[in-house]
CSV table of all heavy atoms in Angstrom, one decimal:
chain,number,residue,atom,x,y,z
A,1,PRO,N,1.2,34.1,140.0
A,1,PRO,CA,0.5,35.3,139.3
A,1,PRO,C,1.5,36.0,138.2
A,1,PRO,O,2.6,36.1,138.6
A,1,PRO,CB,0.4,36.2,140.5
A,1,PRO,CG,0.5,35.4,141.6
A,1,PRO,CD,1.5,34.2,141.3
A,2,VAL,N,0.9,36.1,137.1
A,2,VAL,CA,1.6,36.9,136.1
A,2,VAL,C,0.9,38.0,135.4
A,2,VAL,O,-0.4,37.9,135.6
A,2,VAL,CB,2.2,35.9,134.9
A,2,VAL,CG1,3.1,34.8,135.4
A,2,VAL,CG2,1.0,35.3,134.1
A,3,LEU,N,1.5,38.9,134.9
A,3,LEU,CA,0.7,40.0,134.2
A,3,LEU,C,0.6,39.8,132.8
A,3,LEU,O,1.5,39.8,132.1
A,3,LEU,CB,1.4,41.4,134.4
A,3,LEU,CG,0.5,42.6,134.0
A,3,LEU,CD1,-0.8,42.7,134.8
A,3,LEU,CD2,1.3,43.9,134.1
A,4,LEU,N,-0.8,39.4,132.4
A,4,LEU,CA,-0.9,39.1,130.9
A,4,LEU,C,-0.5,40.1,129.9
A,4,LEU,O,0.0,39.8,128.9
A,4,LEU,CB,-2.4,38.6,130.7
A,4,LEU,CG,-2.8,37.8,129.5
A,4,LEU,CD1,-1.8,36.6,129.3
A,4,LEU,CD2,-4.3,37.4,129.5
A,5,GLY,N,-0.8,41.3,130.4
A,5,GLY,CA,-0.4,42.4,129.4
A,5,GLY,C,1.0,42.5,129.2
A,5,GLY,O,1.5,42.6,128.1
A,6,GLY,N,1.8,42.2,130.3
A,6,GLY,CA,3.3,42.1,130.2
A,6,GLY,C,3.7,40.9,129.2
A,6,GLY,O,4.7,40.9,128.5
A,7,VAL,N,3.1,39.8,129.5
A,7,VAL,CA,3.3,38.6,128.6
A,7,VAL,C,3.2,38.9,127.1
A,7,VAL,O,3.9,38.6,126.2
A,7,VAL,CB,2.5,37.4,129.1
A,7,VAL,CG1,2.6,36.3,128.1
A,7,VAL,CG2,2.9,36.9,130.5
A,8,PHE,N,1.9,39.5,126.9
A,8,PHE,CA,1.6,39.8,125.4
A,8,PHE,C,2.7,40.8,124.9
A,8,PHE,O,3.1,40.6,123.7
A,8,PHE,CB,0.3,40.5,125.4
A,8,PHE,CG,-0.9,39.5,125.5
A,8,PHE,CD1,-2.2,40.0,125.8
A,8,PHE,CD2,-0.7,38.2,125.5
A,8,PHE,CE1,-3.3,39.1,125.9
A,8,PHE,CE2,-1.8,37.1,125.6
A,8,PHE,CZ,-3.1,37.7,125.9
A,9,LYS,N,3.0,41.8,125.6
A,9,LYS,CA,4.0,42.7,125.1
A,9,LYS,C,5.4,42.1,124.9
A,9,LYS,O,6.0,42.3,123.9
A,9,LYS,CB,4.3,43.9,126.2
A,9,LYS,CG,5.2,44.9,125.6
A,9,LYS,CD,5.2,46.2,126.7
A,9,LYS,CE,6.0,47.3,126.2
A,9,LYS,NZ,6.2,48.3,127.3
A,10,ALA,N,5.8,41.2,125.7
A,10,ALA,CA,7.0,40.6,125.5
A,10,ALA,C,7.1,39.5,124.3
A,10,ALA,O,8.1,39.3,123.9
A,10,ALA,CB,7.5,39.8,126.9
A,11,THR,N,5.9,39.1,124.0
A,11,THR,CA,5.9,37.9,123.1
A,11,THR,C,5.1,38.3,121.8
A,11,THR,O,4.9,37.6,120.8
A,11,THR,CB,5.1,36.7,123.6
A,11,THR,OG1,3.8,37.2,123.9
A,11,THR,CG2,5.8,36.2,124.8
A,12,ASN,N,4.7,39.6,121.6
A,12,ASN,CA,4.1,40.3,120.6
A,12,ASN,C,2.7,39.4,120.3
A,12,ASN,O,2.4,39.2,119.1
A,12,ASN,CB,5.0,40.2,119.4
A,12,ASN,CG,4.4,41.1,118.2
A,12,ASN,OD1,3.9,42.2,118.5
A,12,ASN,ND2,4.6,40.8,117.0
A,13,ASN,N,2.2,39.1,121.3
A,13,ASN,CA,0.8,38.2,121.3
A,13,ASN,C,-0.3,39.2,121.5
A,13,ASN,O,-0.2,40.4,122.0
A,13,ASN,CB,0.9,37.1,122.3
A,13,ASN,CG,-0.3,36.1,122.2
A,13,ASN,OD1,-1.0,36.1,121.0
A,13,ASN,ND2,-0.5,35.3,123.0
A,14,VAL,N,-1.5,38.8,121.3
A,14,VAL,CA,-2.7,39.5,121.5
A,14,VAL,C,-3.9,38.6,122.0
A,14,VAL,O,-3.7,37.4,121.9
A,14,VAL,CB,-3.3,40.2,120.3
A,14,VAL,CG1,-2.3,41.3,119.8
A,14,VAL,CG2,-3.7,39.2,119.2
A,15,SER,N,-4.8,39.1,122.7
A,15,SER,CA,-5.9,38.3,123.2
A,15,SER,C,-6.8,37.7,122.2
A,15,SER,O,-6.8,38.3,121.1
A,15,SER,CB,-6.8,39.1,124.2
A,15,SER,OG,-7.6,40.0,123.5
A,16,PRO,N,-7.4,36.7,122.5
A,16,PRO,CA,-8.4,36.0,121.5
A,16,PRO,C,-9.4,37.0,121.0
A,16,PRO,O,-9.8,36.9,120.0
A,16,PRO,CB,-9.0,34.9,122.3
A,16,PRO,CG,-8.0,34.4,123.3
A,16,PRO,CD,-7.4,35.8,123.8
A,17,ALA,N,-9.8,38.0,121.9
A,17,ALA,CA,-10.7,39.0,121.6
A,17,ALA,C,-10.3,39.7,120.4
A,17,ALA,O,-11.2,40.2,119.5
A,17,ALA,CB,-11.1,39.9,122.6
A,18,VAL,N,-9.0,39.9,120.3
A,18,VAL,CA,-8.5,40.6,119.1
A,18,VAL,C,-8.2,39.7,117.9
A,18,VAL,O,-8.5,39.9,116.9
A,18,VAL,CB,-7.2,41.4,119.6
A,18,VAL,CG1,-6.5,42.1,118.4
A,18,VAL,CG2,-7.5,42.5,120.6
A,19,SER,N,-7.5,38.6,118.3
A,19,SER,CA,-7.0,37.8,117.2
A,19,SER,C,-8.2,37.0,116.5
A,19,SER,O,-8.0,36.6,115.3
A,19,SER,CB,-6.1,36.7,117.8
A,19,SER,OG,-6.8,35.8,118.6
A,20,LEU,N,-9.3,36.8,117.0
A,20,LEU,CA,-10.5,36.1,116.4
A,20,LEU,C,-11.4,37.1,115.8
A,20,LEU,O,-12.3,36.7,115.0
A,20,LEU,CB,-11.2,35.4,117.5
A,20,LEU,CG,-10.5,34.2,118.1
A,20,LEU,CD1,-11.3,33.5,119.1
A,20,LEU,CD2,-9.9,33.2,117.1
A,21,ARG,N,-11.2,38.4,115.9
A,21,ARG,CA,-12.1,39.5,115.3
A,21,ARG,C,-12.1,39.3,113.8
A,21,ARG,O,-11.0,39.3,113.2
A,21,ARG,CB,-11.6,40.8,115.9
A,21,ARG,CG,-12.7,42.0,115.4
A,21,ARG,CD,-12.1,43.2,116.0
A,21,ARG,NE,-12.0,43.3,117.5
A,21,ARG,CZ,-11.1,43.9,118.1
A,21,ARG,NH1,-10.3,44.8,117.4
A,21,ARG,NH2,-11.1,44.0,119.3
A,22,GLY,N,-13.3,39.2,113.3
A,22,GLY,CA,-13.4,39.2,111.8
A,22,GLY,C,-13.2,37.8,111.2
A,22,GLY,O,-13.4,37.7,110.0
A,23,ILE,N,-12.9,36.8,111.9
A,23,ILE,CA,-12.7,35.5,111.4
A,23,ILE,C,-14.0,34.7,111.4
A,23,ILE,O,-14.6,34.6,112.5
A,23,ILE,CB,-11.7,34.7,112.3
A,23,ILE,CG1,-10.3,35.4,112.1
A,23,ILE,CG2,-11.4,33.3,111.7
A,23,ILE,CD1,-9.1,34.7,112.9
A,24,ARG,N,-14.4,34.1,110.3
A,24,ARG,CA,-15.6,33.5,110.3
A,24,ARG,C,-15.5,31.9,110.9
A,24,ARG,O,-14.5,31.4,110.6
A,24,ARG,CB,-16.1,33.3,108.8
A,24,ARG,CG,-17.4,32.6,108.6
A,24,ARG,CD,-17.8,32.6,107.2
A,24,ARG,NE,-19.0,31.8,106.9
A,24,ARG,CZ,-19.6,31.7,105.8
A,24,ARG,NH1,-19.1,32.2,104.7
A,24,ARG,NH2,-20.7,30.9,105.7
A,25,ASN,N,-16.4,31.6,111.7
A,25,ASN,CA,-16.6,30.2,112.1
A,25,ASN,C,-15.7,29.9,113.5
A,25,ASN,O,-16.0,29.1,114.3
A,25,ASN,CB,-16.3,29.1,111.1
A,25,ASN,CG,-17.3,29.1,110.1
A,25,ASN,OD1,-18.5,29.6,110.3
A,25,ASN,ND2,-16.9,28.7,108.9
A,26,LYS,N,-14.4,30.5,113.4
A,26,LYS,CA,-13.5,30.1,114.6
A,26,LYS,C,-14.1,30.6,115.9
A,26,LYS,O,-13.9,29.9,116.9
A,26,LYS,CB,-12.1,30.8,114.4
A,26,LYS,CG,-11.1,30.2,115.2
A,26,LYS,CD,-9.7,30.6,114.8
A,26,LYS,CE,-8.6,30.0,115.8
A,26,LYS,NZ,-7.3,30.5,115.4
A,27,PRO,N,-14.6,31.8,116.1
A,27,PRO,CA,-15.0,32.2,117.4
A,27,PRO,C,-16.3,31.3,117.8
A,27,PRO,O,-16.3,31.0,119.1
A,27,PRO,CB,-15.6,33.7,117.2
A,27,PRO,CG,-14.8,34.1,116.1
A,27,PRO,CD,-14.6,33.0,115.1
A,28,GLU,N,-17.1,30.9,116.9
A,28,GLU,CA,-18.2,29.9,117.1
A,28,GLU,C,-17.6,28.6,117.7
A,28,GLU,O,-18.2,27.9,118.6
A,28,GLU,CB,-19.1,29.7,116.0
A,28,GLU,CG,-19.9,30.9,115.6
A,28,GLU,CD,-19.1,32.0,114.8
A,28,GLU,OE1,-18.0,31.8,114.5
A,28,GLU,OE2,-19.7,33.2,114.5
């Protein structure tokens, strides 16, 4: 078990829901 929010904070990452926002074709 890991806390994904903590992983994102430590690595400066974001969820796909954020990273794919506004990108054409990739979410599909």
Side-chain angles (χ1 to χ4, degrees):
V2 299
L3 188 64
L4 193 52
V7 171
F8 285 167
K9 184 176 180 180
T11 60
N12 200 31
N13 194 11
V14 295
S15 73
V18 175
S19 66
L20 297 178
R21 188 179 299 151
I23 298 177
R24 183 178 177 182
N25 293 335
K26 192 171 181 180
E28 290 79 8

